[in-house]
Amino acid sequence: MAIQNIGISKDIVFQAIVDSFKKLNPLVMIKNPVMFVVEVGTLITFILAIKPDIFGISTAGHGYNAAVFFILLFTVLFANFAEALAEGRGKAQADTLRKTKSETMAKVLQKDGTYQERPSTSLRKGDIVRVDIGELIPSDGEIIEGLASIDESAITGESAPVIKEAGGDFSSVTGGTKVVSDYIIVKILTDPGESFLDRMISLVEGASRQKTPNEIALTTLLAVLTLIFLFVIMTLVPLANYLKVNLDVATLIALLVCLIPTTIGGLLSAIGIAGMNRVTQFNVLAMSGKAVEAAGDIDTMILDKTGTITFGNRMASDFLPIVGISDEEAAMAALKASVKDDTPEGRSVVELANKKGIRWNEKDYKDAEIVEFTAETRMSGLNLKDGTAIRKGAVEAIKSYVAAHDGSIPADLDEKAKGIARAGGTPLAVAINNKIYGVIYLKDTVKPGLKERFAELRAMGIKTVMCTGDNPLTAATIAKEAGVDEFIAEAKPEDKIAAIKKEQAEGKLVAMTGDGTNDAPALAQADVGLAMNSGTMAAKEAANMIDLDSDPTKLLSVIEIGKQLLITRGALTTFSISNDIAKYFAIIPALFITVIPQLQTLNVMGLTSPKSAILSALIFNAIIIPLLIPIAMKGAKYRAMNANKLLSRNLLIYGAGGVLVPFIGIKLIDMIVSALHLA
């Protein structure tokens, strides 16, 4: 079973509520300095609610202190709930993955050459096991003998089996997958608890999640801001005494909580966890939150051509007749040469001919002799019962074939073939008996939609570089059609590393995809390396992300998720800090309006009373956290644009919104508090 998109079920919500109370443990809360300060304030107001004069300076009664206590308690619980909800979804995904683990028996090779059955949990690195048809592969390893179809749906969700064999880039196998044909001999490469599935479960449920550098930096900034406002509140006490204003402890705590960035402090961890969850929903396993975050800062993407930008199969693009032959005759000749060709190339010729309106009768070719393609002849075709010989293949091979049968070579054949080659395609000549009819234009087709995706990346300021072993002419043609910014032709593995290092030397972050052992050094060098699950163990070990679907273009989606993570964190931080402006106008006048009547001009919201103003600001501060949980979980809306436009947009929406929303919210709450006579 693949990593699933787990929704927010009732069970997850209930467990998150329970975990919200468990997280009140001070040893847990101290990891979040902002919310730890709120928790300390909650404890103090709880004491004041029981005995208001315990500190000798409080003048508020039981009711006011109790109200502040409950509001602060809910503030802490809401912050814990946001984190617990994000963790709960990850744990639900992990529970789903655990169902794929079972006590599998493994046939382990003994010194005498026999096989002995042992539990898979007892396997160690270096053990040799045999897996026959219908059996589960007991642990991660590498095929050292045999070839088999492997059902990897337990990991990827993809029902179609994949072929794995000893040697090459497709020899690694994953524990929990199933052999559906033949048998394989596997060398175990992991010890118990270190398998791919074990790591996947640990990462999905967040057990291994570490704070990213940006998250640590932001946490430090929030802690510094909290400390600054703590000193500000402390200086208010002597100022109030000088003005002969009695500031009770509960009010000072309420003021501190409203001024420190509690909103982003309560949501910061949930944003990071939810970002990891969004990656797993795309069937990508991120080895760390740092990798996801780095994806959001990528400046350059280096991509293979074959299988990533193009399908990797040459497809028929056009039929070019030679002089004296009509388009229909050339298309019919190509069709006849391909009706029994089951390769992707042959099927594409038939499809193109059908699109051009050329039809054929299968009965005419029922008893035809199929001439298979060989490296020696470099052509294929049919021999019909009436003696007609139909051939298609490399231009030079067809020319030799026709000449051997006393046919003539058209004067414009070489010119048409060279034109196709210059355009980055592959020419195949077609002949019937001793007559050449034309040339099939084959080209490696660019995947649909990629040009638009690359345009989006360009709008975000990300440069795309295509690496290919093709000659410069072919590479230039594909690069233009795909819409990449640059290309590296006739590229060798070391050229990829050189390209990555060159970009990094200019201060840029680089991402790339790969699946082979020869890609491992480049994957390790890149800031974001996405390895294919179908690739070698070396590639997967070198990368910091693994695509379970083995789709090289998935890197584009990963970058979008990384950017969405950064945008969400920045947007909610902007909103949180902007909130403080409205709170200043609500609380500061309320504290000193009795001794400084001129402060009434700052009471722009027209709040009812000092206590009502303080409670209203405090209540708004509490309820804004759960209201923002959906944004933290789903991420802020993502649009492809450059950094300056994105900054301006977020400042407008979340900055201006962060100023206006509290004014409206606090006023509405004040009206309710006054109507209920709570203050």
Side-chain angles (χ1 to χ4, degrees):
M1 185 175 296
I3 297 178
Q4 296 182 358
N5 185 353
I6 303 295
I8 307 299
S9 65
K10 292 181 180 179
D11 292 338
I12 293 177
V13 173
F14 177 77
Q15 187 59 48
I17 293 172
V18 174
D19 290 343
S20 299
F21 286 91
K22 292 181 180 179
K23 289 177 177 290
L24 291 175
N25 182 344
L27 296 178
V28 176
M29 293 297 298
I30 201 168
K31 297 177 183 178
N32 187 336
V34 176
M35 299 316 298
F36 179 72
V37 169
V38 179
E39 184 177 46
V40 172
T42 305
L43 178 61
I44 294 173
T45 54
F46 173 71
I47 296 172
L48 291 173
I50 298 173
K51 191 173 183 181
D53 58 351
I54 189 171
F55 296 110
I57 58 174
S58 179
T59 57
H62 292 278
Y64 177 74
N65 290 334
V68 174
F69 161 70
F70 281 112
I71 296 171
L72 293 181
L73 177 62
F74 279 108
T75 302
V76 178
L77 290 175
F78 286 149
N80 289 348
F81 178 75
E83 182 178 39
L85 195 63
E87 290 176 345
R89 189 163 64 176
K91 289 175 181 177
Q93 291 171 334
D95 290 340
T96 302
L97 290 171
R98 282 194 180 92
K99 294 177 182 177
T100 66
K101 294 188 66 177
S102 60
E103 185 58 35
T104 306
M105 297 302 292
K107 291 181 285 191
V108 186
L109 181 65
Q110 305 300 301
K111 291 182 178 180
D112 60 3
T114 62
Y115 288 93
Q116 180 184 28
E117 284 202 348
R118 282 172 25 197
S120 61
T121 52
S122 67
L123 294 177
R124 294 292 184 273
K125 190 182 297 185
D127 284 344
I128 307 296
V129 301
R130 177 186 173 111
V131 189
D132 290 299
I133 184 171
E135 295 179 346
L136 292 177
I137 296 171
S139 187
D140 297 355
E142 182 179 10
I143 300 174
I144 58 175
E145 181 183 326
L147 175 150
S149 294
I150 310 294
D151 177 5
E152 296 187 329
S153 58
I155 302 297
T156 68
E158 177 59 52
S159 58
V162 294
I163 302 297
K164 296 292 184 79
E165 60 182 322
D169 289 344
F170 299 96
S171 60
S172 67
V173 290
T174 306
T177 57
K178 188 177 183 179
V179 174
V180 294
S181 75
D182 304 289
Y183 79 94
I184 50 175
I185 306 297
V186 178
K187 181 179 180 180
I188 303 301
L189 298 180
T190 58
D191 288 326
E194 298 177 356
S195 72
F196 182 75
L197 196 56
D198 288 319
R199 285 188 298 156
M200 188 189 302
I201 291 170
S202 178
L203 289 163
V204 167
E205 70 180 353
S208 300
R209 194 187 94 86
Q210 296 180 342
K211 288 186 176 182
T212 64
N214 282 351
E215 197 173 345
I216 293 172
L218 185 54
T219 301
T220 303
L221 173 62
L222 298 181
V224 171
L225 288 175
T226 301
L227 188 62
I228 290 172
F229 281 118
L230 182 60
F231 282 116
V232 169
I233 298 303
M234 291 172 62
T235 60
L236 283 180
V237 176
L239 177 62
N241 290 336
Y242 174 77
L243 295 173
K244 297 181 180 180
V245 175
N246 293 321
L247 291 181
D248 54 85
V249 176
T251 296
L252 290 172
I253 292 173
L255 178 60
L256 175 63
V257 170
C258 284
L259 296 186
I260 63 178
T262 51
T263 305
I264 187 61
L267 295 173
L268 185 59
S269 183
I271 294 169
I273 296 171
M276 291 282 286
N277 286 341
R278 283 197 295 277
V279 172
T280 62
Q281 289 163 23
F282 275 79
N283 248 14
V284 173
L285 179 62
M287 298 305 174
S288 68
K290 182 180 179 181
V292 181
E293 191 173 87
D297 284 328
I298 287 299
D299 300 294
T300 305
M301 278 181 59
I302 295 181
L303 302 155
D304 276 328
K305 185 205 78 171
T306 305
T308 303
I309 292 175
T310 65
F311 284 104
N313 293 322
R314 297 179 305 173
M315 311 292 281
S317 175
D318 200 2
F319 303 129
L320 304 180
I322 55 95
V323 173
I325 301 294
S326 68
D327 291 343
E328 290 76 12
E329 288 176 315
M332 178 56 80
L335 175 62
K336 289 179 177 180
S338 305
V339 292
K340 293 292 184 178
D341 186 349
D342 290 330
T343 65
E345 176 186 295
R347 289 195 296 269
S348 73
V349 172
V350 176
E351 289 174 7
L352 180 60
N354 287 335
K355 287 180 181 178
K356 290 180 176 291
I358 308 299
R359 297 292 180 262
W360 60 288
N361 190 342
E362 187 174 358
K363 293 180 181 179
D364 295 340
Y365 308 93
K366 183 178 180 182
D367 298 320
E369 177 191 353
I370 299 174
V371 179
E372 300 287 354
F373 175 88
T374 65
E376 184 178 351
T377 63
R378 294 191 298 154
M379 60 183 176
S380 62
L382 296 176
N383 291 327
L384 303 184
K385 291 181 67 176
D386 62 6
T388 302
I390 306 169
R391 298 290 185 271
K392 71 172 180 181
V395 173
E396 292 302 321
I398 294 297
K399 285 167 64 176
S400 299
Y401 173 81
V402 170
H405 289 77
D406 300 323
S408 61
I409 308 301
D412 60 336
L413 177 63
D414 287 339
E415 181 184 344
K416 291 185 182 297
K418 289 178 181 177
I420 292 173
R422 282 195 296 269
T426 301
L428 290 183
V430 180
I432 299 179
N433 292 327
N434 63 349
K435 182 178 181 179
I436 296 177
Y437 279 71
V439 182
I440 302 172
Y441 179 4
L442 295 179
K443 69 175 183 178
D444 197 354
T445 308
V446 173
K447 293 182 178 180
L450 273 187
K451 191 166 188 176
E452 292 73 19
R453 298 290 296 276
F454 289 145
E456 289 180 9
L457 292 174
R458 194 174 299 108
M460 293 185 286
I462 298 174
K463 181 173 73 174
T464 51
V465 180
M466 180 187 78
C467 284
T468 176
D470 291 336
N471 62 68
L473 188 61
T474 301
T477 302
I478 296 294
K480 183 178 180 181
E481 186 176 347
V484 296
D485 298 307
E486 296 179 8
F487 66 88
I488 302 173
E490 299 176 343
K492 299 181 288 294
E494 53 267 30
D495 294 329
K496 295 180 183 179
I497 300 177
I500 293 171
K501 289 183 176 179
K502 178 177 177 294
E503 294 292 325
Q504 290 174 332
E506 297 174 3
K508 299 176 181 178
L509 295 183
V510 183
M512 78 157 288
T513 62
D515 58 4
T517 300
N518 60 353
D519 289 326
L523 287 169
Q525 179 67 38
D527 300 284
V528 176
L530 180 67
M532 303 299 101
N533 189 47
S534 61
T536 63
M537 192 64 70
K540 289 189 279 189
E541 290 291 340
N544 49 24
M545 287 188 182
I546 298 174
D547 176 22
L548 303 182
D549 296 328
S550 299
D551 176 6
T553 61
K554 192 74 70 70
L555 184 57
L556 303 176
S557 299
V558 170
I559 288 177
E560 290 180 359
I561 293 171
K563 285 197 172 294
Q564 187 182 41
L565 171 64
L566 297 177
I567 290 168
T568 303
R569 187 183 296 150
L572 293 185
T573 300
T574 302
F575 185 87
S576 177
I577 295 175
S578 299
N579 273 199
D580 287 345
I581 297 176
K583 296 170 191 173
Y584 297 150
F585 282 95
I587 297 179
I588 299 299
L591 292 177
F592 300 104
I593 201 168
T594 55
V595 293
I596 309 177
Q598 293 84 350
L599 288 178
Q600 180 63 40
T601 56
L602 295 179
N603 186 18
V604 294
M605 288 177 275
L607 301 179
T608 308
S609 67
K611 286 188 176 180
S612 171
I614 293 169
L615 288 180
S616 298
L618 201 59
I619 292 172
F620 175 84
N621 193 66
I623 64 175
I624 197 63
I625 294 176
L627 291 177
L628 291 175
I629 287 178
I631 296 178
M633 298 289 286
K634 293 182 180 179
K637 190 172 182 180
Y638 166 79
R639 291 181 181 175
M641 58 180 69
N642 64 39
N644 290 334
K645 288 183 179 179
L646 193 60
L647 178 61
S648 301
R649 178 177 176 271
N650 282 345
L651 286 176
L652 177 63
I653 296 176
Y654 293 96
V659 173
L660 296 175
V661 170
F663 275 97
I664 298 170
I666 291 172
K667 177 58 180 177
L668 291 175
I669 295 171
D670 175 72
M671 293 168 64
I672 297 171
V673 168
S674 301
L676 296 176
H677 303 289
L678 298 177

